[in-house]
Every structure is written in C-alpha cells, then in structure tokens.
Amino acid sequence: MTNLSGRSAIVTGGFSGMGFAIASALAKAGANVAVGSYVAPPQAGRVDAAYYPGADEIERVRSALAAHGTKVRAAHLDVRDSDLANRFMAETEAAIGPTDILVNAAGTTAEQPVCGHSDELWDKIVDTNLTGAFRTTRAVLPGMIGRGWGRIVNIGSTAASVGWKDNPAYCASKAGLLGLTRCVALEGAAHGVTCVMISPTWVETELMRRNVAQVVEREGKGRTAEAVMDEFRRGNPQGRMMQPEEIAALAVFLCSDLAKGITMENIQVTGGALW
C-alpha cells in the first residue's frame, strides 16, 4: 500500500469522474485532500460536455472523502479565473496545509468541427484544460520547490498525440498540456518535484457519457448513446472501457516516493488501443 500520510493534495475537477476517484484514492492513502470543481446551477444552451455539480453536492463530496479519516475540503473552483484559483489555493493551504500534491483533472470538451467553431467555445475548452492547469501549477510550484518535494499529475488524453474528428480544441489543449508537463518537470527536477501526465483512452465517466450523447446528437443514424459506448468497448483490444479507479491507482503511485524517478513522462492507459 502507498502511504501518503502527512501529505496534502489538491484535485481540480474533483467532484466527479476521474477527479473524484483520484481524490478518494489519495485520501484512502492517508493524504489530506481538497477538491475543487466549477459549481453552477443547470443552464440551458450549454454546448460543452462538462459535468457541472450543483452546490448541494459540496457536502456529499466532503462527507465521502472525510470517511477516510483525513482532513478534507470541497469548494467551488473556476480554473479559468486567476484570482479565484489563487484564492482557492490560499484557503486550501490554511485548511489542510501546504500543497504537496496537485492533480489537474478539471476538463471539458465539445463535439464541434473546426468549420463553424466559435471563439467562445474554443477559448472555454483551452482555458479550462490547458491554461487552467497552468494557473494552478503556477500557484503551488514555488512552495513545492522551496520545500524540496512535490508531485504534479496532469490528466491528459490519447488526444494529446492522436487526432479525433470534431474535437480540435480538446486535442489541441491536451497536446499543449503535454508540453506544459514537460516544462514543469524540468523546472522542478532539481528540487524534488516531479510532473507527469496520465493519458487514458475512453474512461467511463459522466463527461464521457455526455460527450457520447453529443456524438449521437450530431451524427444521428438511429444509434443510442449506449450503442456507441458498446462500439468503443468492442473497439478496444481488451473489449472493455477503462474505469476511473484504474487511473486513480496509477495517480496515487505517481504521488509516492517510489515514483520519484518518474517525471516528464506521458503515461498512456489504453488497453492496447491507439485512441
């Protein structure tokens, strides 16, 4: 078992999907954990596939994480806003201690080709997936370097290296996140700070289900969302879809002292699939 007792972690996008699975695994390993997600009421006309939890879910997430017996914090976080992100980081440090671990799992996507792609949607996806990770990393990296220990895990995607039609902003943002990962790894290498990107194929999350729903809406052809998900499962050499807990287990290992030599890497979790 990986023991992270005494460490403090921040997980962005931590209310659902891979983010919540990682936060839970970190807490189970003994870390104090703060999770932040964009909390908002349901809105009509949203074009991206992100899951936006309501305010009522803050206590649910907090209670679930607290069951592991460590300090926890759950709050609204908009990684697209530098002031809000910096405030979240400062309030988290006051609540659970200096940040030793950062997991950038906040992300969104949308089914939209280049032709007709609006600036607003492009900016939202890139700002969330790439620039948001830059903002949170910038906030915690100096402290990690100063203390001589730190772990940063960025949740990427096979989209970082393989294109997918109708997802230009998502693919560009994940490719950019890989470049950021490598630069942060070099900046922290001499100071005990590692930075790694985990790039899964399709993972069965709420974001994935919403993305598939957009595929069905755009392409039609009489298919259901579940039928499309079955196609993805059959297209994987293992005949299945990756689960959030698999990504979480890898993330926890990468945050341990056993992984101090693993940095600047893009670790793909695909079951043998190219995408």
Side-chain angles (χ1 to χ4, degrees):
M1 292 292 291
T2 301
N3 188 346
L4 296 176
S5 297
R7 300 295 185 190
S8 292
I10 290 175
V11 182
T12 71
F15 277 38
S16 64
M18 286 183 280
F20 180 71
I22 292 169
S24 298
L26 288 169
K28 187 175 182 180
N32 302 317
V33 179
V35 293
S37 281
Y38 192 95
V39 176
Q43 293 180 9
R46 274 201 184 115
V47 293
D48 65 323
Y51 169 67
Y52 295 99
D56 59 319
E57 293 194 51
I58 293 177
E59 186 54 42
R60 175 190 64 80
V61 171
R62 183 187 294 117
S63 297
L65 295 176
H68 297 291
T70 63
K71 296 179 182 178
V72 300
R73 180 172 187 254
H76 169 71
L77 171 62
D78 185 357
V79 297
R80 297 173 298 161
D81 186 315
S82 290
D83 290 339
L84 285 178
N86 289 336
R87 190 182 313 145
F88 178 91
M89 298 300 178
E91 290 173 353
T92 292
E93 183 166 326
I96 68 170
T99 303
D100 301 301
I101 295 165
L102 170 65
V103 180
N104 286 307
T108 189
T109 188
E111 287 290 310
Q112 188 68 246
V114 171
C115 296
H117 204 304
S118 70
D119 285 356
E120 180 182 11
L121 182 58
W122 176 276
D123 291 343
K124 182 175 187 178
I125 295 171
V126 174
D127 204 15
T128 301
N129 298 357
L130 174 57
T131 313
F134 163 74
R135 291 188 182 99
T136 55
T137 299
R138 181 179 60 187
V140 303
L141 184 58
M144 291 179 176
I145 289 175
R147 292 185 298 273
W149 198 96
R151 299 288 184 268
I152 299 173
V153 178
N154 293 323
I155 302 303
S157 166
T158 47
S161 53
V162 180
W164 187 262
K165 71 170 185 174
D166 296 340
N167 280 272
Y170 184 77
C171 291
S173 69
K174 294 303 184 180
L177 185 61
L178 178 54
L180 175 64
T181 297
R182 289 167 172 162
C183 291
V184 172
L186 289 172
E187 191 167 342
H191 308 283
V193 179
T194 67
C195 186
V196 180
M197 188 160 95
I198 300 175
S199 288
T201 181
W202 292 108
V203 179
E204 196 164 359
T205 65
E206 183 62 25
L207 174 63
M208 189 261 178
R209 285 187 284 271
R210 288 168 180 258
N211 192 195
V212 168
Q214 288 190 334
V215 172
V216 171
E217 184 179 353
R218 284 184 60 83
E219 296 183 359
K221 301 178 182 178
R223 296 186 300 171
T224 64
E226 189 56 39
V228 173
M229 291 182 70
D230 280 340
E231 287 180 18
F232 291 155
R233 292 185 185 100
R234 292 193 300 270
N236 189 292
Q238 292 187 340
R240 68 184 187 92
M241 200 168 289
M242 304 300 111
Q243 297 300 308
E245 292 73 21
E246 297 176 75
I247 309 305
L250 175 57
V252 170
F253 172 73
L254 292 172
C255 292
S256 73
D257 285 328
L258 294 173
K260 61 185 176 182
I262 304 175
T263 192
M264 204 176 173
E265 297 293 339
N266 179 32
I267 303 175
Q268 296 195 23
V269 183
T270 68
L274 294 177
W275 168 266

